[in-house]
Amino acid sequence: FFEFIGELGEFPAHPQAAMVIKTDLCFFTECKVYPGHGIRYVRKDGKHLTFLNAKAFSLYKQRKKAQRLRWTLVWRRKHKSTAKKTIRKKTKKTVKVVRAFAGISLDELKKRREEKKILPKGAGKKDKIRLVKTRKVEKKASKKVYSKAKLNRGFVKVPKTRMKMRSSQR
């Protein structure tokens, strides 16, 4: 079953995979507590606390502050003796999504964006004002076209309640 190499009967060198050991942090000292070590304590509110040893547990019961004891990691961190190792999670980058909203279509929004890009950042105020004015003129022209189309519709179905209101006004 095993392959022996050499005269001494040594096992072949396998790349050792790093074994993951679940460790807890001591509630008082914030040191690592390995499996099979430490003291577990359940408070009245139901919170599970893990302590490194009886010393840390005793000091917790005496209501001592870990910040005032030089040998705790809390004191060392407070006095900048050591930096706490923090694992930074990768944050999702936000992506801008352009959506049409009431009154403006998606094409029109894209057009406006491109117009802004055309103008250089240091463009004068006059250029920007001219652009806004031309946009207003275009908007008015499109409104006129829409209103003419509305007039030339022909037969329009009108609800009976509105018809009654019209007849009573005449």
Side-chain angles (χ1 to χ4, degrees):
F1 295 105
F2 298 106
E3 294 176 27
F4 289 104
I5 298 175
E7 296 169 16
L8 300 172
E10 299 164 351
F11 288 104
H14 291 287
Q16 290 183 348
M19 195 169 109
V20 179
I21 299 172
K22 190 184 181 300
T23 57
D24 290 328
L25 282 180
C26 174
F27 183 76
F28 190 77
T29 63
E30 292 189 19
C31 294
K32 283 183 181 178
V33 180
Y34 289 93
H37 296 265
I39 297 169
R40 296 283 300 211
Y41 176 69
V42 182
R43 276 199 314 216
K44 285 181 183 177
D45 63 350
K47 188 173 180 184
H48 292 261
L49 308 178
T50 308
F51 295 96
L52 181 67
N53 49 23
K55 177 182 177 181
F57 183 49
S58 173
L59 289 165
Y60 168 76
K61 284 195 294 187
Q62 294 171 43
R63 297 177 185 257
K64 301 288 182 193
K65 289 190 177 179
Q67 294 174 2
R68 294 191 184 154
L69 300 169
R70 288 187 74 127
W71 58 274
T72 61
L73 283 176
V74 185
W75 185 91
R76 292 180 66 78
R77 195 174 313 113
K78 185 181 176 188
H79 295 85
K80 310 256 188 309
S81 300
T82 54
K84 185 180 179 184
K85 291 180 184 176
T86 55
I87 300 168
R88 287 190 177 180
K89 291 183 181 178
K90 288 183 181 178
T91 54
K92 288 184 180 178
K93 291 183 179 178
T94 54
V95 180
K96 273 193 175 180
V97 179
V98 181
R99 292 192 182 122
F101 51 90
I104 300 174
S105 67
L106 192 64
D107 300 327
E108 204 170 315
L109 275 173
K110 285 180 181 175
K111 225 187 264 180
R112 284 189 186 184
R113 275 202 169 171
E114 286 167 14
E115 284 176 5
K116 283 181 182 177
K117 287 178 184 174
I118 292 168
L119 277 177
K121 276 196 173 179
K125 206 172 185 181
K126 291 178 183 176
D127 296 333
K128 289 180 183 177
I129 291 169
R130 192 172 353 104
L131 247 176
V132 171
K133 283 183 180 178
T134 55
R135 201 181 295 143
K136 281 184 181 177
V137 170
E138 287 173 6
K139 198 172 184 181
K140 278 188 180 180
S142 67
K143 277 187 180 178
K144 286 180 184 175
V145 171
Y146 176 71
S147 62
K148 284 181 183 176
K150 202 174 181 182
L151 291 172
N152 298 336
R153 254 199 272 172
F155 175 75
V156 180
K157 193 171 184 180
V158 181
K160 287 182 180 178
T161 53
R162 201 179 293 163
M163 286 289 286
K164 286 179 184 176
M165 288 172 64
R166 282 186 183 174
S167 61
S168 64
Q169 286 175 357
R170 289 181 187 170

